[in-house]
Amino acid sequence: MVIDDSKTIRRTAESLLRKAGCEVLTAMDGFEALAKIVDEGPDVIFVDIMMPRLDGYQTCALIKNNPRFRHTPVIMLSSKDGLFDKARGRIVGSEQYLTKPFTREELLGAIKRHTSKAT
């Protein structure tokens, strides 16, 4: 799953992952994502940090506080690569932090690193 308020980022990530054989869900914010996560149970979640209404940190914390999704890998996406942002991501439970713009190799590498269902 890719959660990002930028249509361009969602489409780019979705395209890169689909070409690699992944099934991809997208959401434009944390609220939309949470409903889809409950319904679909994605294997990996990529979430943008800076989003309106519910930011990536809050979204990640809500995912990780649900016992059903506690072990679902959450990878933070951000244009900021500061130590504080990375540390805050770890505190709310994210497994990894990717800086935008990301590459196909970074997305697929994150999936391989955190799941056994990688292509």
Side-chain angles (χ1 to χ4, degrees):
M1 170 171 256
V2 178
I3 310 164
D4 200 303
D5 58 326
S6 164
K7 189 179 216 174
T8 303
I9 296 291
R10 283 196 315 271
R11 283 190 175 162
T12 300
E14 182 178 19
S15 174
L16 293 171
L17 293 170
R18 282 194 195 281
K19 285 179 185 170
C22 298
E23 184 180 326
V24 184
L25 300 168
T26 63
M28 63 183 183
D29 64 36
F31 287 113
E32 181 186 355
L34 292 173
K36 288 183 176 184
I37 289 166
V38 170
D39 291 343
E40 304 287 337
D43 296 318
V44 177
I45 300 167
F46 293 95
V47 60
D48 180 32
I49 291 175
M50 302 299 290
M51 295 185 294
R53 300 197 308 161
L54 198 63
D55 72 22
Y57 299 120
Q58 295 164 319
T59 302
C60 181
L62 289 168
I63 293 165
K64 293 298 186 171
N65 284 328
N66 182 321
R68 184 173 157 206
F69 303 108
R70 182 170 291 134
H71 300 293
T72 301
V74 177
I75 292 98
M76 307 300 275
L77 299 174
S78 180
S79 52
K80 303 189 319 186
D81 65 352
L83 192 58
F84 174 78
D85 298 302
K86 292 178 182 180
R88 189 168 173 206
R90 289 275 185 216
I91 288 167
V92 295
S94 72
E95 276 71 23
Q96 193 173 342
Y97 190 103
L98 294 179
T99 305
K100 295 184 215 175
F102 47 77
T103 65
R104 174 183 182 271
E105 289 73 26
E106 287 173 320
L107 290 177
L108 295 177
I111 292 171
K112 287 178 182 158
R113 181 174 172 190
H114 300 291
T115 71
S116 57
K117 298 183 180 188
T119 55

